[in-house]
Amino acid sequence: MEEDLPQRKKMRMEGFDYTSCAHYFVTIVVQDRICLFGEVVDGEMVLNEAGIAIDTALRGLQTRHHGCQVPIHIVMPNHIHFIFTNLSEISLSEVVRKFKSYTTHLYIDGVNNKGWQRFHFKLWQRNYYEHIILNQQSYDFISNYIYMNPSRWNMDSINPHHDMKCDEIMKHVKSLE
């Protein structure tokens, strides 16, 4: 007998070929939203040693996966945003899977050998957010969103210490859509 489990929201665009040449906006969040990679100070992201390692791993995606580019990215205290440009036939999910695996091993090494803060069971949340960038206007908007992310940290719902008034404002804005 099947239990009535909540249905997961489908995250991927049905019928889209994720190995095709395209730009994607990707967000990956730390499990339990623990702030492991540094802090935002006066609207600027200040990476700790772990954050620098994650940043280096993001930059290295281009080296490890020929035909891939990461033209813009940001490592935040508990998540990352980046634009991934696929110029090869590797799928986005494969790149994200390999990135999560590589950075998890990297982070565990940092915990064991460098005293980095521990995480609970998994470094990254199970899934990730992606958005297919379809035009230059969208690309420019998302690039600006990534660039401005640290300046909006106090309002970000991913921030465990964010200003709760912003949640009410966002609920109101969404109700107007």
Side-chain angles (χ1 to χ4, degrees):
M1 182 163 97
E2 272 187 48
E3 292 182 38
D4 289 330
L5 297 174
Q7 294 296 311
R8 284 193 174 268
K9 180 180 170 187
K10 289 189 179 187
M11 299 291 287
R12 310 295 162 244
M13 183 187 293
E14 201 165 316
F16 185 81
D17 179 5
Y18 283 89
T19 63
S20 64
C21 294
H23 301 289
Y24 305 94
F25 170 50
V26 180
T27 300
I28 307 173
V29 180
V30 171
Q31 183 72 25
D32 300 323
R33 297 182 177 184
I34 302 170
C35 294
L36 300 174
F37 306 138
E39 61 183 331
V40 176
V41 177
D42 296 327
E44 297 288 327
M45 184 60 202
V46 179
L47 298 173
N48 58 20
E49 189 177 2
I52 292 168
I54 298 299
D55 184 74
T56 301
L58 265 172
R59 293 174 193 276
L61 280 176
Q62 298 174 155
T63 305
R64 288 188 303 279
H65 302 287
H66 297 290
C68 301
Q69 296 176 348
V70 180
I72 186 168
H73 72 278
I74 186 81
V75 176
M76 294 296 291
N78 62 3
H79 66 284
I80 60 173
H81 294 297
F82 61 98
I83 292 178
F84 171 72
T85 303
N86 192 3
L87 303 172
S88 66
E89 293 188 2
I90 190 167
S91 72
L92 175 62
S93 62
E94 183 67 8
V95 169
V96 170
R97 184 189 67 74
K98 287 181 177 183
F99 175 81
K100 284 180 169 184
S101 176
Y102 173 75
T103 54
T104 297
H105 290 297
L106 182 73
Y107 198 93
I108 290 169
D109 183 62
V111 168
N112 293 334
N113 298 310
K114 299 175 183 176
W116 294 358
Q117 182 179 340
R118 295 189 173 279
F119 57 88
H120 306 120
F121 305 110
K122 296 184 335 182
L123 178 60
W124 302 108
Q125 286 183 357
R126 179 174 180 256
N127 221 328
Y128 60 94
Y129 170 83
E130 58 80 9
H131 171 81
I132 302 162
I133 302 173
L134 299 174
N135 57 49
Q136 188 64 45
Q137 181 180 1
S138 180
Y139 186 95
D140 293 343
F141 178 84
I142 291 167
S143 295
N144 188 56
Y145 176 86
I146 292 170
Y147 177 75
M148 298 298 295
N149 209 249
S151 67
R152 292 189 310 274
W153 177 240
N154 288 336
M155 300 175 282
D156 194 331
S157 63
I158 295 177
N159 176 353
H161 307 291
H162 77 283
D163 184 345
M164 301 298 263
K165 290 182 271 184
C166 295
D167 291 346
E168 293 303 315
I169 293 167
M170 289 310 296
K171 283 180 190 175
H172 179 71
V173 168
K174 288 181 180 185
S175 74
L176 298 174
E177 293 177 345

